[in-house]
């Protein structure tokens, strides 16, 4: 996910892992391959090259950290539109509004066992992140010493950040995400041009014209045109 804040508002853009992009020094490949080839540094370079944006900060959360944070706040309330069962993601969840514990939530944001696969997954990830931020900031978490202490203990081990980042950068991140969870700002997926097969593997291609309009607006700190959403 790419988060932008500025005078024109806050925008969160999902970049699907199967996006076919040029990876510096490695030719064209899926976006998640950049991390495999060169870790966060190459991933950031790849996103900068593809979007034309300067990435100022980086934050990463692992599977264990994700589970610990969700469990620390007592789970997260989500309304699941239809039942989902995905053995690969360890997911078996019924339709309806319910509280997801850490393991179930992890399966939900990882699963691609839906009609739109990766496009549904990134949408689920944004929805869940919004619900998680609401739970973290809720009075029931902040006034409950068991949850609050558990959250404080879980966070440092859950997040990996850039070597130049400081605690106030995480505060800024939290405030931006809280704005989005309250309905402010824009959450979207990079415009998609279609799918194809490369070397026997399914890849996602961006709509380059609309993506250029999206990232161009962010670069100039302007309102993103609706046609690019």
């Amino acid at each position: 996910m790419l988060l932008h804040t500025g005078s024109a508002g806050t925008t969160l853009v999902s970049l699907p892992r199967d996006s076919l992009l040029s990876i510096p020094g490695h030719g064209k490949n899926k976006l998640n391959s950049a991390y495999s080839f060169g870790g966060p540094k190459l991933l950031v370079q790849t996103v900068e090259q593809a979007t034309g944006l300067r990435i100022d900060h980086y934050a990463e959360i692992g599977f264990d950290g994700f589970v610990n944070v969700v469990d620390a706040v007592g789970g997260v309330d989500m309304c699941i539109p239809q039942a989902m069962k995905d053995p690969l993601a360890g997911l078996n969840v019924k339709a309806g509004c319910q509280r997801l514990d850490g393991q179930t939530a992890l399966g939900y944001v990882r699963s691609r066992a839906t009609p739109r696969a990766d496009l549904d997954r990134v949408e689920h990830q944004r929805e869940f992140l919004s619900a998680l931020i609401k739970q973290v900031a809720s009075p029931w978490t902040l006034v409950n010493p068991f949850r609050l202490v558990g959250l404080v203990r879980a966070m440092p081990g859950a997040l990996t950040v850039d070597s130049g980042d400081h605690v106030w950068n995480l505060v800024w991140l939290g405030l931006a995400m809280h704005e989005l969870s309250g309905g402010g700002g824009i959450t979207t997926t990079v415009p998609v041009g279609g799918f194809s097969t490369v070397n026997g593997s399914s890849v996602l291609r961006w709509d380059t014209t609309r993506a250029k309009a999206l990232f161009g607006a962010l670069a100039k700190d302007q309102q993103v045109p609706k046609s690019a959403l």
Side-chain angles (χ1 to χ4, degrees):
M1 295 184 185
L2 178 71
L3 178 69
H4 170 82
T5 63
S7 59
T10 299
T11 304
L12 182 69
V13 185
S14 291
L15 309 177
R17 50 165 277 175
D18 288 343
S19 299
L20 183 66
L21 299 176
S22 294
I23 300 175
H26 296 273
K28 284 199 170 185
N29 211 320
K30 294 182 179 180
L31 177 58
N32 65 319
S33 296
Y35 188 94
S36 300
F37 292 145
K41 183 176 181 179
L42 185 58
L43 176 62
V44 167
Q45 290 175 345
T46 301
V47 172
E48 287 184 331
Q49 179 176 273
T51 64
L53 298 173
R54 162 69 181 174
I55 306 300
D56 298 300
H57 306 285
Y58 175 86
E60 168 189 326
I61 187 166
F63 290 160
D64 288 343
F66 181 96
V67 171
N68 292 339
V69 169
V70 174
D71 286 340
V73 296
V76 174
D77 294 323
M78 292 285 295
C79 290
I80 311 297
Q82 56 187 348
M84 294 176 63
K85 189 172 184 179
D86 183 0
L88 292 177
L91 178 66
N92 186 1
V93 64
K94 297 179 180 179
C97 296
Q98 57 203 286
R99 176 156 292 195
L100 306 184
D101 62 17
Q103 286 291 346
T104 305
L106 179 61
Y108 181 70
V109 300
R110 292 184 66 197
S111 178
R112 295 196 293 177
T114 57
R116 299 195 311 151
D118 210 27
L119 295 181
D120 283 332
R121 177 166 65 172
V122 295
E123 190 170 313
H124 292 164
Q125 290 171 348
R126 293 197 306 269
E127 291 171 352
F128 181 82
L129 192 55
S130 175
L132 175 61
I133 295 298
K134 286 182 178 179
Q135 182 72 10
V136 168
S138 73
W140 298 110
T141 297
L142 299 179
V143 303
N144 186 323
F146 297 102
R147 288 185 179 178
L148 187 58
V149 170
L151 179 63
V152 170
R153 287 178 174 172
M155 287 302 292
L159 285 175
T160 299
V161 296
D162 195 2
S163 59
D165 286 339
H166 302 280
V167 65
W168 51 85
N169 297 126
L170 289 178
V171 172
W172 165 82
L173 172 63
L175 291 173
M177 293 307 305
H178 190 259
E179 176 189 351
L180 292 170
S181 71
I186 294 171
T187 61
T188 188
T189 301
V190 63
V192 175
F195 296 85
S196 60
T197 301
V198 176
N199 297 325
S201 180
S202 177
V203 298
L204 179 150
R205 296 182 183 275
W206 293 3
D207 181 325
T208 53
T209 300
R210 294 171 62 217
K212 186 176 181 180
L214 168 64
F215 297 124
L218 297 183
K220 298 175 183 177
D221 198 17
Q222 296 176 346
Q223 187 70 37
V224 177
K226 291 184 178 180
S227 60
L229 300 177

